[in-house]
Amino acid sequence: MTKKEQKDAAMDQLFGGLTNPATTVSESPSGQQDTSPAVSGTAPVSPKQKKYTEENERVCTIINYELAYKARKIAEREELNIREVYEEGLRRIISAYEAKNGTIRVARKKGKKGDTDKLSSL
């Protein structure tokens, strides 16, 4: 299993119960709980969508201290950066929302102000 596959599997396990009500919790013979989604996998992303989804936007928000602390601990334990944990959580919540309510269309960003690439066409 590649590192990316391991990371995806870890994220599935971490966030499965948050966005998938069909998650099952069972106890293994060793006494440990096994949490595995009853339905797994994500829709493939087309190259056109992938290019757009890789763009980043800086977001500043205020969240509950306990949630932020736990997200940092998850990131630390799973050797991820905090942004990856937040993004994965948002992806899963949005995916579940869209499955129930329909796809949300994302408007394309307008060109940057002061784009120096436009100077060469003058």
Side-chain angles (χ1 to χ4, degrees):
M1 186 180 284
T2 67
K3 188 171 183 177
K4 179 172 178 7
E5 290 170 334
Q6 289 174 341
K7 180 178 141 187
D8 290 345
M11 286 297 195
D12 283 343
Q13 190 173 20
L14 287 169
F15 291 103
L18 296 176
T19 59
N20 187 355
T23 300
T24 59
V25 178
S26 61
E27 203 165 295
S28 68
S30 64
Q32 294 180 335
Q33 285 188 344
D34 175 31
T35 306
S36 56
V39 179
S40 64
T42 57
V45 177
S46 73
K48 186 176 182 180
Q49 287 175 321
K50 187 174 183 179
K51 180 179 183 277
Y52 187 72
T53 59
E54 288 178 354
E55 293 178 10
N56 295 315
E57 182 173 337
R58 185 174 301 273
V59 176
C60 179
T61 188
I62 298 171
I63 63 171
N64 175 277
Y65 171 80
E66 186 176 332
L67 293 174
Y69 181 86
K70 288 179 178 184
R72 281 192 297 273
K73 284 299 179 185
I74 290 169
E76 181 182 308
R77 289 177 184 173
E78 300 299 323
E79 297 180 1
L80 300 167
N81 84 35
I82 191 71
R83 189 190 86 206
E84 292 174 305
V85 174
Y86 286 133
E87 283 181 353
E88 186 64 24
L90 285 171
R91 269 189 213 95
R92 289 171 185 261
I93 290 167
I94 291 167
S95 178
Y97 179 89
E98 288 181 328
K100 183 178 179 183
N101 299 295
T103 302
I104 300 169
R105 296 187 68 196
V106 178
R108 298 287 180 174
K109 289 183 179 181
K110 294 182 179 179
K112 296 186 292 185
K113 292 181 180 178
D115 189 354
T116 56
D117 291 338
K118 292 180 181 179
L119 291 175
S120 62
S121 63
L122 295 176

